[in-house]
Amino acid sequence: MNSNYTPLFESFNLGKKLEVKNRLVMAPMTNFSSNPDGTVTDAEVNYYERRSSGVGMVITACTYVTANGKGFHGEFGGDQDELIPSLSRLASAIKAKGAKAILQIFHGGREVPPELIPNGDVVSASNIPSEGEGKAVPRPLSEKEIESIILDFGETTRRAIEAGFDGVEIHGANGYLLQQFFSPHSNRREDKWGGSLEKRLTFPLAVVDEVKKAVAEHAKDSFIVGYRFSPEEQETPGITMEDTLALIDGLVTKDLDYLHVSLMDFWSKARRGAEVDRPRIEIIKERIGDQVPLIGVGSIYTADDAIKALQSGVPLIALGREIIIEPEWVQKVEQGREAEIVTKINKDNQQQLDIPDPLWQAIIHSPGWFPGID
């Protein structure tokens, strides 16, 4: 191994007793490849197995905690006990290759396709649709429904524990329900669940509390809980970096095991609510300090990209699109073969890469999401 990259392979402790073998994480990425009943497919398991041998931790694609939260065709579910064997199959496949297995849990809110949910009943914090043509107008959730969804996050956490996962990641990013409650764009409520910034924090922090409660009741000390967030929104009104710093302040009081910032580019700069000439990751890391570990992600393709990101002080680096392109990324760096790392997808290599067909179709038909396709 090139000694410059040795820090990427130092172990790291998350929580009280969970040690990950290196600083590299497989980022959570939707793969559209589960069965219609929410169970995982053989192709999906093969895809995860292939990419679990090198990284220290795998964070799965999101799994819905209740039927009206299903956000994608081909998404696997965690809303029923009947799905525990399916979840267990996925956890076992990841762990058998040496990585820690983390289940990402979420509710899609106003972003769900109406055809995927019971009665096409799209819900959110308020009746504000996402920006864009043809977006569904959501129905505001009642207080009773909000409290029920909070409990659903706890129940899905219990299922993750019973299925053998090492932890869960609460998905509060990318415009889904937790972010919808935090955002001044999508949350126009005037009750205890919205209005002021403090009230907009109520739902996401209540979800964290319920998940932590489930862990305390059902899990061993080594089971971890993380939270993923998006630092800004482009809408006006929308989440600013100033809002995000308030969210971070709330989250660090909850004794979480890590925070995970969702970025397309690790070094992207703030848009508003902070110094606009500084990378968001620096502003976030400065606010967090050493209170809770941070996972960074975004357009990291080469070993040099990864070590530069690690040198920012962020202790864990997630690989997203690149680990789809190059399943042996970690092994090649560890073996001193970083020059052999592939950073563009070859349109003829689906089978060699163990990419399920629904994900492959999404890749080859979405060049903006997956640049550099040959």
Side-chain angles (χ1 to χ4, degrees):
M1 185 199 310
N2 184 325
S3 60
N4 291 338
Y5 307 132
T6 301
L8 294 171
F9 294 90
E10 295 173 354
S11 62
F12 189 78
N13 290 319
L14 282 168
K16 299 179 179 70
K17 294 183 180 178
L18 190 75
E19 181 182 54
V20 292
K21 64 184 179 182
N22 58 42
R23 305 304 183 93
L24 298 163
V25 176
M26 179 176 172
M29 292 175 287
T30 302
N31 60 57
F32 313 102
S33 300
S34 298
N35 292 310
D37 65 357
T39 56
V40 298
T41 59
D42 292 345
E44 196 170 18
V45 172
N46 292 340
Y47 161 83
Y48 277 107
E49 280 185 326
R50 180 79 182 276
R51 290 161 176 81
S52 299
S53 296
V55 294
M57 187 165 79
V58 171
I59 306 171
T60 72
C62 54
T63 182
Y64 51 94
V65 303
T66 188
N68 70 352
K70 185 174 182 177
F72 305 95
H73 289 272
E75 180 184 352
F76 57 86
D79 64 322
Q80 306 170 53
D81 282 0
E82 289 78 8
L83 291 168
I84 292 173
S86 169
L87 295 172
S88 180
R89 184 184 177 205
L90 182 56
S92 297
I94 293 168
K95 293 166 69 172
K97 296 296 183 178
K100 303 302 181 184
I102 309 300
L103 184 71
Q104 190 186 65
I105 56 177
F106 102 134
H107 188 297
R110 68 180 185 181
E111 298 299 330
V112 304
E115 69 271 17
L116 288 185
I117 58 172
N119 304 314
D121 185 24
V122 178
V123 297
S124 185
S126 300
N127 63 345
I128 308 298
S130 300
E131 293 189 347
E133 189 175 346
K135 298 291 187 177
V137 177
R139 176 179 61 81
L141 287 160
S142 69
E143 182 161 344
K144 183 178 180 180
E145 289 174 315
I146 292 169
E147 291 170 348
S148 178
I149 290 172
I150 291 168
L151 294 175
D152 290 333
F153 273 91
E155 280 293 277
T156 300
T157 300
R158 173 185 58 79
R159 296 181 188 110
I161 293 164
E162 293 182 13
F165 279 91
D166 297 298
V168 293
E169 178 175 281
I170 301 166
H171 195 354
N174 300 359
Y176 299 123
L177 187 64
L178 272 75
Q179 183 174 328
Q180 289 163 32
F181 268 85
F182 182 54
S183 169
H185 179 271
S186 43
N187 188 346
R188 311 291 175 93
R189 302 177 74 100
E190 296 181 353
D191 57 6
K192 74 174 188 177
W193 305 101
S196 66
L197 186 150
E198 183 180 21
K199 289 182 177 180
R200 286 188 278 113
L201 278 167
T202 305
F203 177 71
L205 295 182
V207 168
V208 172
D209 287 342
E210 187 64 28
V211 168
K212 296 281 289 184
K213 178 183 174 184
V215 171
E217 291 179 359
H218 301 287
K220 298 177 181 178
D221 287 346
S222 59
F223 192 90
I224 65 171
V225 179
Y227 189 102
R228 195 175 205 213
F229 63 94
S230 294
E232 291 190 83
E233 292 178 327
Q234 62 183 6
E235 295 90 352
T236 300
I239 295 170
T240 68
M241 284 300 301
E242 185 177 12
D243 294 329
T244 293
L245 296 178
L247 172 64
I248 289 169
D249 290 344
L251 291 172
V252 297
T253 68
K254 297 298 181 179
D255 194 31
L256 288 160
D257 298 299
Y258 71 84
L259 299 179
H260 185 181
V261 58
S262 180
L263 294 168
M264 284 294 288
D265 178 356
F266 188 93
W267 299 105
S268 63
K269 294 184 177 179
R271 181 183 292 115
R272 57 188 176 180
E275 299 169 67
V276 295
D277 60 343
R278 291 185 67 196
R280 295 176 174 116
I281 198 79
E282 287 185 2
I283 297 167
I284 291 165
K285 183 65 177 72
E286 184 177 276
R287 188 61 161 247
I288 293 172
D290 295 324
Q291 297 176 91
V292 60
L294 179 65
I295 300 176
V297 69
S299 300
I300 294 169
Y301 292 98
T302 68
D304 285 338
D305 291 340
I307 196 67
K308 180 183 177 184
L310 191 70
Q311 289 167 349
S312 72
V314 175
L316 294 165
I317 306 301
L319 301 172
R321 290 164 291 177
E322 176 58 20
I323 205 165
I324 296 178
I325 298 167
E326 176 57 272
E328 277 72 51
W329 192 99
V330 180
Q331 295 92 318
K332 287 184 177 180
V333 177
E334 194 168 22
Q335 295 163 11
R337 299 162 54 211
E338 61 275 1
E340 298 176 25
I341 288 174
V342 178
T343 57
K344 293 184 179 181
I345 282 219
N346 184 316
K347 67 181 186 301
D348 298 320
N349 280 2
Q350 179 186 1
Q351 289 188 333
Q352 294 93 315
L353 296 173
D354 282 317
I355 297 177
D357 194 59
L359 176 57
W360 185 254
Q361 294 303 318
I363 290 169
I364 64 175
H365 291 113
S366 304
W369 173 56
F370 232 93
I373 204 164
D374 288 338

